[in-house]
Amino acid sequence: MPRTTRNRLRLALGASAFLLAVGGVPATPAGAADTTDYAITVDPTAKGAKIDDTMYGVFFEDINRAADGGLYAELVQNRSFEYATVDNRSYTPLTSWTVSGSANVVNDDGRLNDRNRDYLSLAAGSSVTNAGYNTGVHVEEGKKYDFSVWARAEAGTTLTVSLQDADGTLATARRVAVRTGGWAKYQATFVATRTSSTGRLTVASSDAAALDMVSLFPRDTYKHEPNGLRKDLAEKIAALHPGFVRFPGGCLVNTGSMQDYSEASNWQRARSYQWKDTVGPVEERATNSNFWGYNQSYGLGYYEYFRLAEDIGAMPLPVVPALVTGCGQNKAVVDDALLKRHVQDTLDLIEFANGPVTSTWGKLRARMGHPKPFHLTHIEVGNEENLPNEFFARFNEFRTAIEAKYPNITVISNSGPDDAGSTFDTAWQLNRDAKVDMVDEHYYNSPQWFLQNNDRYDSYDRSGPKVFLGEYASWGNAFKNGLAEAAFMTGLERNADVVKLASYAPLFANEDYVQWSPDMVWFNNHAAWNSANYEVQKLFMTNVGDRVVPSTATGTPSLQGPISGAVGLSTWATTAAYDDVKVTDASGGTLLSDDFSGDASQWSHTGGGSWSLQDGQYVQTDVAAENTMVSAGDVNWHDYDLHVKATKKSGKEGFLVAFGVKDTGNYYWWNLGGWNNTTTAVEQAVDGGKSTLISKAGTIETGRAYDIDVKVRGRQVTLYLDGQEWGSFTDDKPAEPFRQVVTKDRKTGDLIVKVVNAQSADARTAIDLGGAKVSAKARVTTLTAAPNAVNTETATPVAPVTSTFTGVADRFTYTFPANSITFLRIKQR
């Protein structure tokens, strides 16, 4: 930070004199870029919001192979030969299997059961080998692995089961005698003779046999076996001490068909996640096409989920379909009988969780091994529905039925997929009018948005519906993302009377099967590691406190200048033509003019796609390419008017016109006809992470030329579509880097001072505890790293460091390091 800025801060905050008055200033740590001065004042006599034990939790969705190949401990991929092109265009029923000799997958009346449709017909003297997940089947020396298979043979046969890798045998082979007759389950146990992450499981048959549910499980799973959870991943969840576990989605809940898996639906594979598919014996559970592009075995189902929540002391929070699809599908299902069936399924789910063993579904729970109830108290209906009126009509059907039979269950609604906009506003109004107990909000935004919106819930109605922040994250897994999220979380805690539940999302990502990033825990078939975001979540979850202690802090003066930058053109899964681009300054002087009658030399191509001059227009012709940005002009331009004529030629969306372009990760763009040509919005990209600033429903017609005008004045932008004002916004909210909250832990009596310093300067801070009688010693936990630091399998630059600070008094100073999150636990006397 420049010296002049530092002096301005000291004059503005007046903290230096205060620091000297309370006993001097500690030396600035070596290597610090600079020091800024702040003051925190705590009022221990005032009563702040109560913080529930369930404040922070986790959201488990089967995305990025979080279940099969992840938390579910099964080591065999495609164990029941159910993979199909409906799951992924590259799949066949033998995906991940290699055949030696002769084998084929059969779907006929000889199957294991109706819901397990496919099985393998293996010829005499033939074998099949499974490749597992990632680099193969992972085994560890000295550990036990349980093999099982369902098999039948007309004349009996012997199966030889072996584990090996390229270097040879990994365990002594086992022989399994298959009796003549119908299907039966056969088992064997291996003890690994060495460790390998590239293992292969081979099943060979001496005579013809039919096989299904070929399985290999580590004996050492989390808490339970068989059909258990991968221990290291489950322990990552347990270490957070989450207050709740949201499950199973996400997009898994509100996409695909709402039909069941039966002959009546022609064994519909692309279905929403429906709980009855996922319970009972694993060999009788349905298979499904996962929205994220692979197959779901449902080996990890609702029973395993409830059991996990119980094991880690967390509240289960299931989500059921509302019969309105989302995640780009946006269709309201009109079928009253189907709606009633889903409502009844939801009532049955509550009975499965809580009912006595004499009830129909409580009896199934007991038969699966858990006679005691799971104590379900909350249930969510729907997920990110983009049709608020249609969703709410169906939500009310669920709510009415649940409240009539189970009046003590909290029924949670939602507010759509965004943090603002017309869908959000409509959904919230419907929820308020109906006096819904709790509303789920979701948003994924840039780190800057999180720094700017610490006060988001300060103005929420204290007597209205409570907030469940069910999914949120800044775009990235670097420490700067964790810093921004931590700064935002201080605002969540300050508003704990409104925000009752919050969960970062998603939870897991297998590094070789990624559909969504960022994620909290990364893993492969042999290791798992915490992201910077995980470390932030863990710090907050394990130091929540029971009540907010009101406090205030000085801030950092905003030094924002006008919006400045070049201009740009782009497309997203669309072909489009641009013409007559003109940029003029505030006085009307020409900065850029291009009618594309010559060449395109003024434009730099920084994105994907294919741009060319055609008939006096600049045309992007790759219909599959996303973000095809070309830009022109000066990054220092400000206070200008941009005009462009744009025509969509083909594809799924509209077109994008950019302004304030600094580089490939920092710009604004007007996204006309985005989100599958359903919405028009202005988005801001900061360091590659995008946030929506203004959004409205809207579509773009193919073949029609639109006149686009953008007026930039200072930090205000006005947008015109075909000469009519479409909307405007002012981007002047400061991204405050210094945030804090103070809570009290009733059990220990500790005051917990939580401070985020998301800037490159140390924050020398005067802390006034308002007369509280405290110990001179504080336990300190600090997260600090370079802003772009990222944890990996082999390096963890973002990790907590604990220490002791002995300078605590009623009034004391503490220097919070640059780019840091610091928790001071101060004992009260």
Side-chain angles (χ1 to χ4, degrees):
M1 181 178 293
R3 186 180 302 274
T4 53
T5 301
R6 179 175 59 188
N7 290 338
R8 289 173 62 187
L9 284 168
R10 286 179 174 168
L11 288 169
L13 302 176
S16 292
F18 178 63
L19 287 166
L20 292 170
V22 296
V25 180
T28 301
D34 211 334
T35 305
T36 56
D37 294 336
Y38 294 89
I40 295 173
T41 304
V42 183
D43 185 357
T45 63
K47 198 171 185 180
K50 181 181 181 296
I51 307 174
D52 295 340
D53 292 340
T54 51
M55 175 74 183
Y56 296 121
V58 295
F59 167 41
F60 180 87
E61 178 177 10
D62 189 359
I63 183 174
N64 308 313
R65 282 213 178 272
D68 295 333
L71 183 60
Y72 186 48
E74 175 65 76
L75 297 174
V76 175
Q77 185 175 175
N78 190 18
R79 66 182 177 186
S80 59
F81 311 100
E82 297 289 343
Y83 277 27
T85 54
V86 68
D87 307 325
N88 188 296
R89 282 181 293 182
S90 68
Y91 281 179
T92 74
L94 282 171
T95 291
S96 82
W97 293 95
T98 302
V99 176
S100 177
S102 178
N104 62 292
V105 175
V106 181
N107 181 336
D108 65 14
D109 291 342
R111 62 179 64 89
L112 180 60
N113 59 67
D114 277 348
R115 289 161 70 83
N116 199 329
R117 308 290 291 168
D118 292 349
Y119 64 93
L120 184 76
S121 176
L122 188 62
S126 299
S127 66
V128 286
T129 299
N130 191 266
Y133 295 94
N134 300 97
T135 54
V137 174
H138 174 70
V139 296
E140 296 180 27
E141 183 179 353
K143 291 197 172 182
K144 291 183 177 180
Y145 296 85
D146 293 322
F147 167 83
S148 65
V149 63
W150 283 81
R152 63 174 171 79
E154 297 299 326
T157 188
T158 298
L159 302 179
T160 301
V161 189
S162 58
L163 271 171
Q164 68 285 320
D165 64 10
D167 294 326
T169 300
L170 292 171
T172 302
R174 294 286 184 260
R175 295 184 182 278
V176 176
V178 177
R179 301 180 297 274
T180 302
W183 288 101
K185 186 177 182 179
Y186 300 90
Q187 300 177 84
T189 299
F190 291 96
V191 178
T193 54
R194 57 187 175 86
T195 296
S196 174
S197 294
T198 58
R200 299 291 187 267
L201 176 75
T202 298
V203 181
S205 184
S206 61
D207 294 282
L211 308 179
D212 207 344
M213 296 293 290
V214 182
S215 174
L216 186 68
F217 253 87
R219 177 75 59 84
D220 187 18
T221 57
Y222 185 73
K223 300 279 190 182
H224 304 276
E225 51 89 19
N227 205 51
L229 304 181
R230 179 172 150 176
K231 193 172 183 179
D232 61 337
L233 295 185
E235 287 175 344
K236 294 285 188 193
I237 306 175
L240 294 168
H241 298 287
F244 65 89
V245 183
R246 181 175 182 253
F247 174 94
C251 290
L252 300 190
V253 165
N254 67 339
T255 54
S257 169
M258 300 293 163
Q259 300 290 338
D260 62 1
Y261 190 58
S262 67
E263 187 174 10
S265 71
N266 195 29
W267 306 104
Q268 173 62 249
R269 281 288 290 268
R271 307 182 313 284
S272 64
Y273 197 108
Q274 299 174 46
W275 80 271
K276 289 179 180 177
D277 289 341
T278 76
V279 294
V282 291
E283 68 274 8
E284 295 176 10
R285 297 183 189 180
T287 188
N288 201 11
S289 172
N290 183 298
F291 172 80
W292 298 108
Y294 52 89
N295 177 271
Q296 274 179 293
S297 75
Y298 288 143
L300 193 171
Y302 257 90
Y303 176 75
E304 291 74 25
Y305 156 65
F306 280 132
R307 196 173 59 184
L308 170 65
E310 180 181 69
D311 287 342
I312 63 177
M315 176 181 81
L317 203 165
V319 188
V320 298
L323 274 71
V324 177
T325 57
C327 301
Q329 297 182 0
N330 299 337
K331 179 182 177 183
V333 178
V334 181
D335 185 330
D336 192 55
L338 188 58
L339 175 62
K340 283 181 167 55
R341 193 267 287 175
H342 276 267
V343 170
Q344 184 60 51
D345 280 356
T346 303
L347 298 175
D348 292 344
L349 173 60
I350 299 170
E351 183 177 286
F352 176 77
N354 295 348
V357 295
T358 53
S359 66
T360 300
W361 296 103
K363 185 183 296 181
L364 174 62
R365 183 191 69 240
R367 199 159 61 239
M368 293 183 72
H370 201 285
K372 294 181 180 179
F374 283 116
H375 305 295
L376 177 67
T377 59
H378 291 63
I379 197 163
E380 182 174 356
V381 178
N383 170 76
E384 292 188 11
E385 280 72 28
N386 213 15
L387 302 171
N389 291 296
E390 292 86 342
F391 160 73
F392 206 78
R394 289 154 181 79
F395 170 82
N396 270 331
E397 298 270 350
F398 285 85
R399 182 191 184 196
T400 300
I402 294 168
E403 290 181 346
K405 189 167 185 179
Y406 300 105
N408 294 324
I409 296 287
T410 298
V411 186
I412 303 172
S413 179
N414 75 77
S415 58
D418 300 308
D419 60 86
S422 58
T423 296
F424 179 87
D425 292 340
T426 301
W428 255 107
Q429 191 61 52
L430 290 165
N431 286 309
R432 276 192 294 268
D433 291 346
K435 295 181 169 53
V436 168
D437 288 331
M438 189 174 290
V439 178
D440 189 1
E441 293 189 356
H442 294 177
Y443 36 82
Y444 297 89
N445 288 318
S446 68
Q448 175 166 301
W449 184 94
F450 284 94
L451 292 175
Q452 289 175 319
N453 285 275
N454 175 276
D455 63 349
R456 176 178 176 87
Y457 297 105
D458 291 1
S459 59
Y460 270 51
D461 182 0
R462 270 40 208 170
S463 62
K466 302 306 180 185
V467 172
F468 171 26
L469 181 48
E471 297 183 32
Y472 73 98
S474 70
W475 289 114
N477 276 143
F479 186 52
K480 64 186 177 186
N481 300 97
L483 282 169
E485 290 154 6
F488 188 74
M489 291 170 79
T490 66
L492 299 182
E493 290 192 7
R494 188 177 63 252
N495 289 285
D497 56 329
V498 169
V499 183
K500 307 305 286 183
L501 307 166
S503 51
Y504 178 99
L507 176 58
F508 285 126
N510 185 316
E511 66 174 350
D512 292 334
Y513 309 94
V514 181
Q515 296 86 43
W516 182 278
S517 182
D519 303 285
M520 192 152 62
V521 176
W522 290 80
F523 66 92
N524 50 37
N525 66 354
H526 62 275
W529 54 99
N530 305 335
S531 68
N533 318 68
Y534 176 97
E535 296 296 352
V536 169
Q537 293 293 323
K538 184 178 180 183
L539 187 57
F540 275 83
M541 286 193 202
T542 55
N543 294 277
V544 182
D546 304 287
R547 188 172 291 278
V548 175
V549 181
S551 62
T552 57
T554 50
T556 309
S558 175
L559 301 174
Q560 289 180 321
I563 291 174
S564 61
V567 299
L569 312 171
S570 189
T571 60
W572 198 286
T574 310
T575 66
Y578 292 94
D579 204 354
D580 297 335
V581 178
K582 189 169 185 178
V583 182
T584 55
D585 61 26
S587 61
T590 299
L591 299 174
L592 171 72
S593 181
D594 201 338
D595 63 2
F596 302 109
S597 59
D599 56 31
S601 59
Q602 298 185 81
W603 298 86
S604 298
H605 186 186
T606 56
S610 178
W611 289 86
S612 61
L613 291 174
Q614 296 181 17
D615 301 322
Q617 295 180 312
Y618 203 20
V619 183
Q620 198 292 115
T621 55
D622 185 345
V623 74
E626 299 178 345
N627 192 2
T628 63
M629 179 87 82
V630 291
S631 61
D634 191 324
V635 295
N636 296 310
W637 281 353
H638 61 87
D639 296 289
Y640 57 75
D641 295 289
L642 165 63
H643 171 80
V644 61
K645 192 177 290 289
T647 306
K648 172 184 175 177
K649 298 176 76 68
S650 67
K652 294 191 297 186
E653 305 209 348
F655 37 74
L656 303 112
V657 175
F659 53 96
V661 179
K662 295 289 191 183
D663 52 43
T664 55
N666 295 274
Y667 54 83
Y668 301 80
W669 67 18
W670 191 4
N671 186 349
L672 296 102
W675 296 270
N676 288 322
N677 206 12
T678 62
T679 305
T680 293
V682 177
E683 296 176 282
Q684 180 185 16
V686 179
D687 292 336
K690 290 201 290 289
S691 302
T692 300
L693 303 181
I694 181 173
S695 174
K696 299 180 182 181
T699 60
I700 293 297
E701 297 175 28
T702 301
R704 175 183 164 189
Y706 290 84
D707 282 306
I708 311 296
D709 290 277
V710 181
K711 180 180 181 179
V712 181
R713 293 293 184 273
R715 301 202 67 80
Q716 182 173 12
V717 177
T718 309
L719 306 112
Y720 301 87
L721 183 61
D722 286 336
Q724 300 295 313
E725 183 174 331
W726 175 86
S728 65
F729 68 92
T730 303
D731 180 25
D732 61 355
K733 201 167 188 181
E736 172 59 58
F738 186 84
R739 296 290 189 184
Q740 55 77 40
V741 70
V742 181
T743 65
K744 182 178 179 179
D745 187 326
R746 184 182 67 249
K747 187 175 181 180
T748 64
D750 292 353
L751 286 176
I752 313 172
V753 180
K754 312 173 187 184
V755 177
V756 180
N757 181 26
Q759 60 185 330
S760 58
D762 291 341
R764 183 172 47 189
T765 305
I767 301 175
D768 183 346
L769 295 179
K773 298 185 184 304
V774 293
S775 167
K777 189 183 294 185
R779 183 156 57 90
V780 184
T781 306
T782 306
L783 281 173
T784 185
N788 291 317
V790 175
N791 287 348
T792 66
E793 180 181 352
T794 56
T796 53
V798 184
V801 174
T802 57
S803 60
T804 301
F805 176 69
T806 56
V808 179
D810 174 35
R811 303 169 86 195
F812 68 100
T813 63
Y814 192 92
T815 298
F816 296 97
N819 302 308
S820 69
I821 304 160
T822 307
F823 280 26
L824 300 169
R825 292 194 72 115
I826 302 169
K827 289 207 173 295
Q828 295 189 91
R829 290 191 279 115

